Amino acid sequence: PSTGGFVAAEYWGVAATFLSLLCVLLLNTMDNHADQVREAEKKKEQKSRSLSQLSGLEEQVDEEVSLSDVWTFGLDVWLIFLICISFYASVFVFLQNGVQFIRQRYDKTEQQAAFLMSLPYTISAVACPVFGYLVDSTGRALVWVFLSTSLLATLHFCFAFDKEFQPWVGVSAMGISYSVCAAALWPCIAIVVELHKLGTAYGLMTAFQNLGLAVFPLLIANMLPEDSATNTTDEFLDIYAPVMSVFAGCGTAGATLTVILFVVDYRNKGWLNASAAALLQREADEAKEEEDAMLTRGLLHEYETEPLLPDMHIHVSHQRGRYLSRLGIRPSISIHGGPRPFAMPKHHVLTPGWDYERGLAHFQRRTEPLNAENRV
């Protein structure tokens, strides 16, 4: 038999792999350049670290990454993993066996069946960005996931038991279901997992996905006869009904797990099903809390370990407060009669034009006579 089609497919596969390799090399070059830029910025920041006494900021410490992080994942994360397994198994494993199913179920040629099986991928290539935009605009990720898994289960039941069900309708709707789930499910990890654990979470999710894609084909192969090409359409339907029921069961399991995830998420403040506006507000609040915490930690560190003017009398502190007020720096209330800590307003902390070095030098020149007088 001719192997021209197989050889051509292999060449296309090699070309795609080579293109992927080029993309990886390009990304590696870009990443190395970004590392160099970050190192340069870090060195520049370290040189001006002494100015943190004026700004009240301290250097952030990166969180450590460990494989033991998997045991810290909550129930909602593991439910997302299970939904991923059930959904992708019911889509990809079906598409792997779909050409034979469509050809015998609907009496199509090999080319016609292959074209129909390519529709889900073609549709998802166009629909994924569209549904991604909709998910970003509306939020409510769990609603989208539930609609996707429910639609997928319905399609498999129709394939299994509805003799009048049109194949192009089924595979087209499957492409839409796949696009919706891909756009809504994967971003859920970033909502419920800390930033320094995201790589571990996504890696584990991908591993579970591949595990499902490795196990389910073996299960389906054991349910099908070795040669069903001579069966009639009715006999073929009887053979494939249990197989399609397994696929439908996977879709139903995904929908059921999504409902359970609704309940778990509701008890965890409901961020997975929050609106886009609520998620944006959450990010803004977290950024504000982090900034306030950095300022607070910086002030405590400054006055507990390295006081700027340790021997200053209370009237000197008063003079310093007046001076800092003129600079736009808000002095805080002293609780022990000693030097009064001060905090930099946020608009000064974030303003690129604020000259910390000049302000600090000017401050030290103005307070040096007062320090000398106090020491005398």
Side-chain angles (χ1 to χ4, degrees), residues 50-369:
S50 60
L51 301 178
S52 62
Q53 289 182 334
L54 183 61
S55 63
L57 295 175
E58 66 177 4
E59 186 176 3
Q60 289 181 311
V61 179
D62 294 334
E63 298 285 352
E64 294 184 358
V65 179
S66 173
L67 289 177
S68 60
D69 290 339
V70 298
W71 306 116
T72 64
F73 293 155
L75 178 60
D76 47 4
V77 179
W78 294 101
L79 287 172
I80 293 173
F81 293 162
L82 293 176
I83 294 172
C84 177
I85 295 174
S86 61
F87 181 85
Y88 283 100
S90 61
V91 172
F92 288 145
V93 180
F94 169 75
L95 295 178
Q96 291 174 1
N97 298 273
V99 172
Q100 180 185 4
F101 173 78
I102 294 296
R103 184 169 57 83
Q104 294 190 246
R105 168 74 165 79
Y106 296 99
D107 194 22
K108 301 291 185 180
T109 64
E110 190 82 16
Q111 290 75 15
Q112 290 173 334
F115 172 76
L116 288 173
M117 285 297 99
S118 69
L119 283 180
Y121 298 109
T122 305
I123 291 174
S124 65
V126 178
C128 273
V130 175
F131 285 110
Y133 173 78
L134 291 176
V135 172
D136 288 340
S137 301
T138 63
R140 311 296 181 187
L142 293 186
V143 173
W144 290 100
V145 173
F146 179 76
L147 293 176
S148 174
T149 52
S150 300
L151 175 59
L152 183 63
T154 303
L155 293 175
H156 284 305
F157 277 121
C158 290
F159 273 126
F161 303 109
D162 187 358
K163 296 183 178 180
E164 303 299 325
F165 189 64
Q166 295 298 316
W168 67 270
V169 175
V171 294
S172 299
M174 189 173 294
I176 294 175
S177 173
Y178 170 68
S179 302
V180 172
C181 190
L185 182 63
W186 290 85
C188 288
I189 293 294
I191 297 177
V192 295
V193 175
E194 293 88 342
L195 181 62
H196 68 283
K197 300 179 183 179
L198 279 182
T200 304
Y202 278 120
L204 191 60
M205 187 172 179
T206 304
F208 279 128
Q209 177 190 9
N210 292 331
L211 178 63
L213 296 179
V215 173
F216 273 87
L218 301 177
L219 176 64
I220 298 302
N222 290 329
M223 299 177 64
L224 293 174
E226 293 184 2
D227 185 12
S228 59
T230 60
N231 298 121
T232 64
T233 301
D234 291 338
E235 291 174 343
F236 187 80
L237 285 176
D238 293 337
I239 294 173
Y240 252 87
V243 175
M244 300 306 296
S245 297
V246 171
F247 291 138
C250 288
T252 304
T256 304
L257 290 169
T258 305
V259 173
I260 298 175
L261 186 56
F262 265 111
V263 178
V264 174
D265 180 59
Y266 178 78
R267 295 178 177 179
N268 294 336
K269 300 182 180 181
W271 289 118
L272 284 175
N273 202 43
S275 65
L279 291 174
L280 289 175
Q281 184 61 44
R282 174 197 176 188
E283 292 182 2
D285 293 342
E286 289 178 350
K288 181 177 182 298
E289 292 176 1
E290 181 179 357
E291 183 179 323
D292 292 342
M294 289 173 61
L295 290 171
T296 302
R297 291 195 302 268
L299 289 174
L300 292 175
H301 176 75
E302 174 189 349
Y303 280 92
E304 288 179 358
T305 60
E306 297 180 358
L308 186 62
L309 300 171
D311 300 324
M312 186 179 292
H313 192 262
I314 185 63
H315 77 277
V316 178
S317 175
H318 173 68
Q319 295 293 333
R320 181 184 65 175
R322 292 178 55 192
Y323 174 74
L324 294 176
S325 298
R326 291 174 55 189
L327 292 179
I329 302 173
R330 176 180 55 83
S332 61
I333 300 176
S334 175
I335 59 175
H336 49 70
R340 298 191 297 177
F342 61 91
M344 182 75 72
K346 290 180 182 177
H347 65 279
H348 282 160
V349 173
L350 301 178
T351 301
W354 179 260
D355 193 339
Y356 292 105
E357 187 172 1
R358 183 178 178 184
L360 179 60
H362 189 38
F363 167 75
Q364 292 174 341
R365 287 197 302 271
R366 290 292 298 270
T367 55
E368 180 60 28

